[in-house]
Amino acid sequence: SSDLPSRDLTNVLAGTASGDRTDAIDDLIASLDLITEQGADPSSRFDGHVDTSHVAAVGHSAGGGTVLGAAAADDRIGGYVSLASGAFLGGGSTTTSTPIALPDVPSFFMAGSVDAVVPAETVTRPSWAAAPSPSLLWILDGVGHNGFDDFCTFGNGTGIIGVAEASGLGAFLDAQPQLRTLGQDGCIAPAVPVAETFPVITQGVTAWLRALFGIDAAPVALGPDFADAYAVSVEIEDK
């Protein structure tokens, strides 16, 4: 697991957030180096528990772009899952038409139909279309940007923004409207409750990784027969 310190709240408020995808990619690869070393260290709790022949990267939002770049830069990564993100220059929510280099490894792009931060149709779908085969696209109906993380589990269903407002930070958020937009997208209408969102996301990512690593002889519950299996409907495209 790796966060994006160059994009954290301190840097955003100070105007020092670099938004530099290269920094985040380097951090992720350094994390992989570290856990690989720990897995071969007899004094480490990870000794014997790290399988470097089965490595995949999963990232959300800006992290979805990071894992794509890491897979392009490091051939230890055999596939990636990009959640509410895409492959285009400038960050997760850009609609710029120039893609970064897409790695020639299996990929899974998952997006929400009501995501206003990283729109599925202008960012995620074109990224999937540009990715080498095999690649899978899921667009989840009624899911917003934070339907893929735990933000919406805070604040009595209103997300981390509800926590901030309850802490007396309403005026601060009014002065930083981009934070309110980012923090509540997917937590409030028109998004469906995350209790309905999480099971389908967990199923999809788990099933895809099991197929990638050959744990299942054939993919399980990733195709059209799965599209209406949960409360959240899924549009599926595969190539």
Side-chain angles (χ1 to χ4, degrees):
S1 176
S2 179
D3 290 328
L4 297 169
S6 66
R7 296 172 182 261
D8 64 13
L9 185 59
T10 299
N11 280 295
V12 169
L13 297 180
T16 56
S18 68
D20 190 333
R21 194 188 298 255
T22 302
D23 289 346
I25 292 170
D26 290 344
D27 289 344
L28 183 57
I29 292 174
S31 297
L32 178 56
D33 290 338
L34 176 62
I35 194 63
T36 299
E37 293 169 4
Q38 292 290 304
D41 182 352
S43 67
S44 169
R45 71 181 64 187
F46 298 107
D47 178 39
H49 296 288
V50 178
D51 181 359
T52 55
S53 66
H54 292 83
V55 177
V58 182
H60 169 246
S61 192
T66 298
V67 299
L68 189 155
D74 193 314
D75 60 11
R76 291 175 294 180
I77 300 174
Y80 62 90
V81 181
S82 183
L83 305 171
S85 188
F88 290 80
L89 295 172
S93 61
T94 184
T95 56
T96 304
S97 60
T98 305
I100 66 172
L102 289 156
D104 191 12
V105 296
S107 57
F108 182 9
F109 291 86
M110 192 183 297
S113 68
V114 297
D115 188 337
V117 177
V118 180
E121 296 301 325
T122 57
V123 180
T124 306
R125 189 187 295 275
S127 300
W128 166 79
S133 298
S135 187
L136 177 65
L137 172 70
W138 278 17
I139 297 180
L140 282 60
D141 187 42
V143 175
H145 195 66
N146 293 304
F148 299 90
D149 59 39
D150 62 356
F151 273 15
C152 302
T153 63
F154 311 146
N156 294 321
T158 60
I160 197 168
I161 298 303
V163 174
E165 289 179 329
S167 302
L169 295 176
F172 166 75
L173 292 171
D174 290 340
Q176 301 281 342
Q178 78 280 7
L179 296 181
R180 187 185 296 277
T181 298
L182 179 61
Q184 69 185 14
D185 190 291
C187 302
I188 61 176
V192 299
V194 293
E196 299 177 12
T197 299
F198 290 161
V200 67
I201 295 169
T202 300
Q203 159 64 27
V205 173
T206 302
W208 188 85
L209 290 173
R210 288 177 61 91
L212 175 70
F213 295 144
I215 298 171
D216 295 326
V220 175
L222 285 175
D225 56 330
F226 169 77
D228 296 314
Y230 285 83
V232 174
S233 296
V234 185
E235 177 188 345
I236 298 174
E237 293 196 52
D238 198 1
K239 64 177 183 178

